Amino acid sequence: MYLRKILLILVFNLFCLVFSVANCGISEKISIDVGGIKTRDLLKMLARHANKSIVVSEKIQGKVTIDLQSVSWREALDSVLQMQGLTKHETDNVIVVVTADELNKNESTLLQRQVFNLRYASSADVAKLLKPAGVLSAHGKLEYDSKSNSLVVADASDNIKEVRRLLKQIDVPAKQVLIEARIVSVDEAFIHELGLEFNGKEKIESGEMPQGQFNFAIAKLGNNRLLDLRLAALENEGRGRVISKPKLLAADRQVAYIEAGAEIPYQEKTKEGNTSVVFKKAVLSLTVTPEVVSKDAIRLSLQLSQDKVGHLVINGVPTIDTRKIHTQVLAHNNGTIVLGGIYEWSKNNYITRVPILGQIPILKIFFSKKESRMERRELLIFVTPQIIK
């Protein structure tokens, strides 16, 4: 027994010399160049070098030749395990090394199980992410429960720690974006007063209307602080009106939908021969998908469509003229994007009278004038995204 202890001490000292380590510290890099060493002995020496206890299965036999330069003890250990097809189960101070067959038979005792209750992320989505991400080992198991939004993970302690670390990064609340829109009908002079410069026309998809007849344009409003005051003054002067001011709170990369308009009723016969009232939408709709790309920038995916009742009626069913645009634009936080190029034509009647004489029943024919004018107004849509902290 005494001789055996001396031999073990000599082997360990030789091991330290071969590793080229000054003090056998855990944090230092080691170099290994040994041939024909027993796998069990090499595993024990690596564990002792790391100041950890180790349990090695009796089924682990054979020898190994290894040449590693400037690696950590853990990298050396993992290399040996991978080369020999072995699996480890590790706690804070103890490493258990077994063969793959033993792990399959005794995984209930070797694998740790832990339940993770998620607060923000979907357990189903996270479950799809973990396995392809390589967080779990080949023997790891994962189940999720949608009702409690929790994950049940069974794996080695190192993998459990990696799952916990990953969940801290992805189980976070989604960023919220407040989207405020203003749909305004204005005269053309108002566009120049705001200082808008539309930077080009966007291609649109048309339904009943001929291609190329309509254009949409996008601009960025430099200073939108006084926008509401300007719009209020516009209404007071009779030069336009604010049709709608919807506000929506949307999560990052989630769709927000804004709609303004009417539903057109018409009669339609059923299969039984009865008549029922059916509605078709003729609305102006805006679909916005915000994506927060930085603390002060938001990418907006904008889809704008304008549906109006057409002049044709087929079998009693009115046609719907459709115009659509889909584009992306980068906006600053609290900045305003303006969509323009939607024109509305209206026919207005005006009467010009000579004072007093123009109101006398017979004489007003000679001292008053009636005329009709076609006026064009533009529909502007102001979209202002704001990151909610």
Side-chain angles (χ1 to χ4, degrees):
M1 290 294 295
Y2 181 73
L3 181 62
R4 185 177 179 182
K5 289 182 179 180
I6 294 177
L7 289 175
L8 287 175
I9 293 174
L10 291 175
V11 171
F12 180 70
N13 290 334
L14 178 63
F15 175 77
C16 291
L17 291 174
V18 172
F19 278 16
S20 302
V21 181
N23 56 5
C24 293
I26 296 176
S27 62
E28 295 189 20
K29 298 292 185 179
I30 58 177
S31 297
I32 309 174
D33 186 5
V34 291
I37 187 173
K38 289 184 179 181
T39 303
R40 295 170 54 84
D41 293 339
L42 179 58
L43 293 175
K44 292 177 183 178
M45 291 176 181
L46 285 172
R48 183 170 297 180
H49 173 79
N51 198 25
K52 283 180 174 287
S53 301
I54 189 169
V55 178
V56 182
S57 170
E58 292 293 335
K59 292 188 177 182
I60 298 177
Q61 302 295 331
K63 299 180 179 181
V64 61
T65 297
I66 190 169
D67 182 4
L68 297 175
Q69 302 297 321
S70 297
V71 298
S72 66
W73 74 270
R74 186 173 292 280
E75 289 175 318
L77 176 64
D78 291 339
S79 299
V80 174
L81 296 179
Q82 183 178 3
M83 181 171 56
Q84 299 291 71
L86 304 175
T87 302
K88 77 174 185 299
H89 168 69
E90 186 175 350
T91 60
D92 291 338
N93 296 313
V94 180
I95 303 174
V96 179
V97 181
V98 296
T99 63
D101 292 338
E102 288 178 303
L103 179 64
N104 292 333
K105 293 179 181 179
N106 304 287
E107 60 179 7
S108 59
T109 57
L110 293 176
L111 298 183
Q112 289 187 2
R113 283 176 171 81
Q114 185 162 346
V115 178
F116 296 94
N117 296 312
L118 305 183
R119 299 181 60 188
Y120 306 104
S122 166
S123 59
D125 293 339
V126 174
K128 294 177 183 178
L129 173 66
L130 288 181
K131 285 196 174 181
V135 179
L136 300 181
S137 68
H139 304 283
K141 293 184 178 181
L142 172 66
E143 295 181 356
Y144 68 90
D145 180 45
S146 299
K147 294 182 178 179
S148 61
N149 198 36
S150 58
L151 294 172
V152 181
V153 182
D155 210 334
S157 61
D158 281 354
N159 300 94
I160 294 289
K161 292 178 181 178
E162 185 64 19
V163 171
R164 186 181 296 109
R165 184 193 64 81
L166 182 62
L167 290 180
K168 287 182 179 180
Q169 297 178 357
I170 62 178
D171 187 27
V172 295
K175 296 177 181 177
Q176 303 287 317
V177 180
L178 177 64
I179 299 173
E180 182 177 3
R182 304 170 183 87
I183 304 174
V184 186
S185 176
V186 301
D187 59 24
E188 294 183 85
F190 181 73
I191 299 175
H192 301 290
E193 293 177 13
L194 279 180
L196 295 177
E197 293 183 3
F198 291 104
N199 56 5
K201 304 296 184 182
E202 296 288 338
K203 182 180 178 182
I204 66 169
E205 300 176 2
S206 298
E208 301 291 336
M209 308 302 287
Q211 290 284 348
Q213 182 173 346
F214 300 96
N215 289 313
F216 288 103
I218 296 177
K220 294 183 180 181
L221 190 61
N223 186 359
N224 64 334
R225 295 179 180 178
L226 302 177
L227 177 59
D228 286 327
L229 293 178
R230 290 182 178 180
L231 294 179
L234 179 76
E235 287 189 296
N236 292 333
E237 295 171 3
R239 299 172 52 198
R241 61 190 180 91
V242 178
I243 298 174
S244 178
K245 291 180 61 176
K247 291 183 180 180
L248 290 174
L249 187 64
D252 185 28
R253 303 185 185 183
Q254 299 299 315
V255 177
Y257 184 72
I258 300 169
E259 183 178 272
E263 291 188 348
I264 309 303
Y266 65 94
Q267 291 186 342
E268 184 178 72
K269 287 188 177 181
T270 63
K271 294 181 180 180
E272 294 78 12
N274 300 324
T275 301
S276 62
V277 178
V278 184
F279 293 86
K280 270 191 174 184
K281 284 188 175 182
V283 298
L284 177 71
S285 63
L286 176 65
T287 303
V288 184
T289 305
E291 179 184 355
V292 180
V293 295
S294 70
K295 64 179 182 179
D296 196 42
I298 307 167
R299 181 180 292 110
L300 296 177
S301 177
L302 301 170
Q303 182 171 329
L304 174 66
S305 63
Q306 185 186 30
D307 299 338
K308 286 188 175 183
V309 180
H311 299 290
L312 297 177
V313 177
I314 302 175
N315 296 328
V317 180
T319 57
I320 302 295
D321 300 335
T322 301
R323 289 177 282 174
K324 293 182 180 179
I325 176 180
H326 185 244
T327 187
Q328 287 189 343
V329 63
L330 189 66
H332 290 290
N333 186 30
N334 276 323
T336 297
I337 302 299
V338 188
L339 300 176
I342 308 172
Y343 297 105
E344 295 181 324
W345 290 90
S346 61
K347 182 178 181 181
N348 297 314
N349 297 318
Y350 296 91
I351 300 177
T352 304
R353 297 188 181 95
V354 176
I356 301 176
L357 295 177
Q359 297 177 348
I360 299 175
I362 298 177
L363 297 179
K364 69 179 181 181
I365 300 175
F366 304 100
F367 295 96
S368 64
K369 180 182 177 182
K370 292 182 179 180
E371 60 178 341
S372 297
R373 297 178 191 171
M374 292 294 295
E375 294 184 349
R376 187 175 77 165
R377 288 180 174 270
E378 185 164 359
L379 205 62
L380 297 180
I381 300 178
F382 300 85
V383 181
T384 305
Q386 178 186 356
I387 302 173
I388 303 300
K389 298 182 180 179

